[in-house]
Amino acid sequence: MSKSTKYIFVTGGVASSLGKGIISASLAKLLQARGYSVTIQKLDPYLNIDPGTLNPYEHGECYVTEDGAETDLDLGHYERFLNTPTSQANNVTTGRIYQSVITKERKGEYLGKTVQVIPHITNEIKDHIQILGNTGEYDFVITEIGGTVGDIESLPFIEAIRQLKWENHEEVLFIHLTLIPYLAASEELKTKPTQHSVKTLLEYGVQPDILVCRTEHHLNKEIRTKIARFCNVELEAVIESIDAETIYDVPLLMQEERLDEVVLKHLKMPLNSTADLKKWKEFLYHHKNPVQEVEIGLVGKYVELKDSYKSIAEAFIHAGAANQCKVKLKWISSEDLTVENVEKELRGLQGVLVAPGFGTRGIEGKIEAVKYARENKIPFLGICLGMQCAVIEYARNVLGMEGAHTVEIKPSTPYPVIDIMQEQKSVTDMGGTMRLGAYPCELKEGSNVYKAYGKKEISERHRHRYEFNNSYLEDFEKAGMKATGVNPENNLVEVVEVENHPWFVGVQFHPEYKSTVVNPHPLFLAFVKATIQ
Ligand code: GLN
């Protein structure tokens, strides 16, 4: 373990979905605002190697990092809060741990030993936790353990962090996030579930240093004292986490509760710095006090589960605040969108976004939405599959290419305007084999995207197998759909725009992954601006 890096582990108890990711990100923000370098890691107890092969219904959005890792959506929160990139090392699943242990076993690296959960799996977990610390870049590595304490599947993770604490007493801190339920009938907050959850942790040899208590009502001194006494923590280490209006309030609430101070004290670090949250507060002010409102339709196939489009929704929050504008999203199910009802569904919207996606379901609805936005001159942003739909729509309805399609959905189409990428043709495995991560793109001067970014060379993250078919490029450009962003190395079309339209942009990449609180994404900024006009 590198001497200077401190490790903070965040576990969860009583119930899932208490917001470990947001608490981790908020603490990281506070430490960062005091001048420390911080990164956050998520350990997920499931057996998939990564969430790339998971349906969004299972696990929400798959977030993609600069280095092309397909990760848990919490990494999106980490980047949005900290404004620093994460990487493959920031998200580790049980599947990945086992994969690497089994690979070593097959290579004979365990020298004839029986390979076991303890020590081999736990050692592998400990190594993965320390990869980030060993870079020497960070004062703090905050590691969030997915799942709820007591789950069978997270046991090896808990055992690994117990060992780390035992080996490096001074460098390790445990935070346990728990729930204090309110019984309306008796008008009481109950601490028993928390006591039990801490007891379970103690059975595994882990004594939490700090308890962050999710609650709907303020915790008074009496309740705090009771929790402290029964859970064996100091009174000041009982931190209230009351339900917040937005996730972006949480760092400020944690600051009020002095979470960062308690952490620093425990780790025997100086308290002389103060957290500078000026920019954060400015953002929050504009987010909560917009001077105008626009409504944008988000057309996708997973709209019942808003976590599927988490980064897009957050990017609108960032871009909205910067434009002093509330962006109201109308979630529109592409599957239910038809020629007959598209007008009724989209009329009156100031903008339309067609979302990324895979597969057949809802594709024709997405194409109808593009057509409506194009013909009615409504500002439009198409992302990945959304861009591909814009190309298909233009081919069919402007270029007269009847039956034009993407070969992903209709391999026999007479006009394969979206085709499989050369490098994807031989791919048979599904996991981690798409075109992933950051690639360069060169923008055409004078285009809307160029105006948005204010520069020619950009780099954006990708997650796709199909691409614009360049053999049709000339036809498209003649007819008014221009390629205004192109990969300079291989000529892949990255951006298309339609002429004689106020703002019609389709991008093969995913701008939403790079939007953060202090750095709203230029394309979302420009799109929101266009919807205001
Ligand atoms: N399914 C499309 C492709 O693989 C688009 C992917 C996406 O929208 N992320 O190219």
Side-chain angles (χ1 to χ4, degrees):
M1 190 170 263
S2 115
K3 262 275 159 290
S4 52
T5 303
K6 306 286 183 193
Y7 290 82
I8 300 172
F9 295 99
V10 181
T11 54
V14 181
S16 58
S17 306
L18 293 183
K20 282 192 299 276
I22 300 299
I23 291 295
S24 303
S26 299
L27 171 60
K29 183 78 226 169
L30 293 176
L31 294 171
Q32 184 193 52
R34 284 175 178 265
Y36 292 110
S37 63
V38 192
T39 191
I40 319 177
Q41 178 187 46
K42 171 106 191 256
L43 302 183
D44 274 311
Y46 53 75
L47 287 173
N48 304 64
I49 303 292
D50 60 45
T53 53
L54 286 175
N55 180 318
Y57 286 124
E58 294 285 318
H59 214 65
E61 167 187 277
C62 172
Y63 184 78
V64 180
T65 59
E66 284 291 294
D67 64 347
E70 296 177 282
T71 72
D72 186 78
L73 59 76
D74 271 336
L75 272 78
H77 291 308
Y78 307 162
E79 290 203 11
R80 288 188 281 274
F81 274 50
L82 294 183
N83 196 40
T84 55
T86 54
S87 69
Q88 180 69 71
N90 293 71
N91 191 196
V92 181
T93 67
T94 295
R96 189 174 294 281
I97 297 288
Y98 271 81
Q99 185 189 43
S100 110
V101 168
I102 290 167
T103 307
K104 285 182 190 167
E105 186 274 335
R106 291 289 84 184
K107 285 189 183 156
E109 288 184 20
Y110 296 112
L111 305 174
K113 287 272 180 217
T114 308
V115 181
Q116 295 180 295
V117 173
I118 302 171
H120 302 100
I121 293 296
T122 45
N123 282 350
E124 193 69 31
I125 294 173
K126 279 157 52 182
D127 289 348
H128 274 82
I129 290 170
Q130 292 173 93
I131 286 175
L132 289 163
N134 290 342
T135 60
E137 275 177 56
Y138 303 107
D139 301 311
F140 293 95
V141 175
I142 300 179
T143 300
E144 176 194 346
I145 316 269
T148 309
V149 164
D151 296 348
I152 291 174
E153 55 179 20
S154 58
L155 273 177
F157 290 117
I158 306 287
E159 169 59 15
I161 66 174
R162 181 196 69 77
Q163 291 179 19
L164 278 176
K165 172 86 170 186
W166 184 75
E167 291 158 14
N168 310 273
H169 218 76
E170 304 279 287
E171 325 289 336
V172 174
L173 179 93
F174 293 136
I175 298 180
H176 189 54
L177 175 61
T178 166
L179 176 70
I180 309 291
Y182 179 73
L183 289 192
S186 58
E187 297 179 3
E188 263 184 311
L189 286 163
K190 304 306 276 182
T191 66
K192 195 74 84 192
T194 295
Q195 295 178 40
H196 280 294
S197 172
V198 170
K199 229 179 236 164
T200 306
L201 264 180
L202 284 168
E203 274 173 33
Y204 304 149
V206 169
Q207 164 68 56
D209 301 296
I210 296 173
L211 293 173
V212 176
C213 306
R214 265 304 287 275
T215 172
E216 290 170 40
H217 297 271
H218 286 294
L219 306 179
N220 61 25
K221 178 106 188 264
E222 198 188 329
I223 290 269
R224 288 179 193 243
T225 309
K226 190 172 172 188
I227 296 169
R229 178 175 302 134
F230 283 109
C231 299
N232 205 21
V233 301
E234 283 160 41
L235 182 60
E236 65 168 13
V238 177
I239 305 287
E240 169 191 288
S241 173
I242 197 143
D243 290 355
E245 202 183 318
T246 83
I247 56 170
Y248 298 107
D249 284 299
V250 180
L252 301 174
L253 292 173
M254 289 303 106
Q255 190 179 37
E256 270 169 41
E257 287 285 304
R258 299 171 43 228
L259 174 62
D260 50 337
E261 240 180 270
V262 179
V263 164
L264 291 172
K265 250 195 198 165
H266 260 275
L267 290 167
K268 302 195 172 54
M269 297 189 61
L271 281 170
N272 44 16
S273 56
T274 48
D276 176 8
L277 291 169
K278 191 165 164 271
K279 277 199 169 160
W280 190 273
K281 286 181 183 161
E282 268 169 31
F283 154 78
L284 206 54
Y285 177 81
H286 290 304
H287 175 47
K288 290 188 176 178
N289 300 283
V291 298
Q292 55 198 325
E293 182 177 310
V294 294
E295 192 175 16
I296 295 177
L298 191 157
V299 183
K301 72 171 172 177
Y302 299 111
V303 289
E304 329 80 86
L305 187 73
K306 301 193 168 55
D307 268 1
S308 310
Y309 304 109
K310 193 82 202 156
S311 295
I312 293 177
E314 299 303 317
F316 276 124
I317 290 178
H318 310 150
N323 277 298
Q324 301 196 27
C325 172
K326 179 178 166 54
V327 177
K328 205 173 135 199
L329 289 180
K330 177 173 179 185
W331 301 81
I332 300 165
S333 159
S334 51
E335 215 179 350
D336 302 331
L337 215 51
T338 59
V339 194
E340 290 77 36
N341 68 12
V342 67
E343 155 103 45
K344 186 174 145 266
E345 288 293 323
L346 302 188
R347 194 182 35 213
L349 295 174
Q350 281 82 52
V352 172
L353 182 142
V354 175
F358 296 84
T360 311
R361 190 162 68 83
I363 188 97
E364 292 302 325
K366 286 185 172 177
I367 295 169
E368 280 310 321
V370 176
K371 180 165 186 264
Y372 186 84
R374 184 179 58 76
E375 290 181 345
N376 293 281
K377 308 231 182 289
I378 302 172
F380 169 85
L381 179 59
I383 299 180
C384 208
L385 183 64
M387 172 267 202
Q388 298 175 353
C389 286
V391 169
I392 296 165
E393 191 278 323
Y394 212 75
R396 290 184 189 174
N397 299 324
V398 179
L399 286 153
M401 298 177 176
E402 204 181 314
H405 223 314
T406 160
V407 301
E408 174 181 8
I409 288 155
K410 199 162 196 319
S412 64
T413 169
Y415 300 104
V417 288
I418 302 293
D419 203 356
I420 182 110
M421 279 185 281
Q422 194 55 36
E423 74 225 41
Q424 288 289 328
K425 286 188 178 156
S426 56
V427 169
T428 49
D429 277 5
M430 292 305 276
T433 55
M434 277 185 261
R435 181 169 184 248
L436 290 164
Y439 285 91
C441 169
E442 214 174 274
L443 304 178
K444 296 251 155 65
E445 271 171 58
S447 62
N448 276 321
V449 270
Y450 178 83
K451 281 180 211 147
Y453 285 87
K455 60 180 179 188
K456 235 176 127 168
E457 321 276 331
I458 61 160
S459 164
E460 291 285 358
R461 300 182 198 172
H462 292 252
R463 183 173 188 246
H464 64 121
R465 292 186 204 284
Y466 300 85
E467 58 165 324
F468 182 92
N469 184 342
N470 269 328
S471 51
Y472 293 101
L473 182 58
E474 223 186 292
D475 298 335
F476 275 86
E477 297 219 309
K478 267 194 208 139
M481 180 178 261
K482 306 266 177 200
T484 56
V486 171
N487 180 314
E489 283 151 19
N490 52 20
N491 279 330
L492 286 186
V493 172
E494 299 281 12
V495 189
V496 294
E497 288 187 36
V498 165
E499 286 177 339
N500 302 321
H501 188 287
W503 207 89
F504 187 105
V505 174
V507 289
Q508 184 59 73
F509 49 74
H510 291 264
E512 70 275 22
Y513 294 142
K514 277 177 74 168
S515 184
T516 72
V517 166
V518 299
N519 249 333
H521 195 282
L523 267 185
F524 280 86
L525 284 174
F527 181 39
V528 171
K529 204 178 242 163
T531 65
I532 294 170
Q533 284 153 8

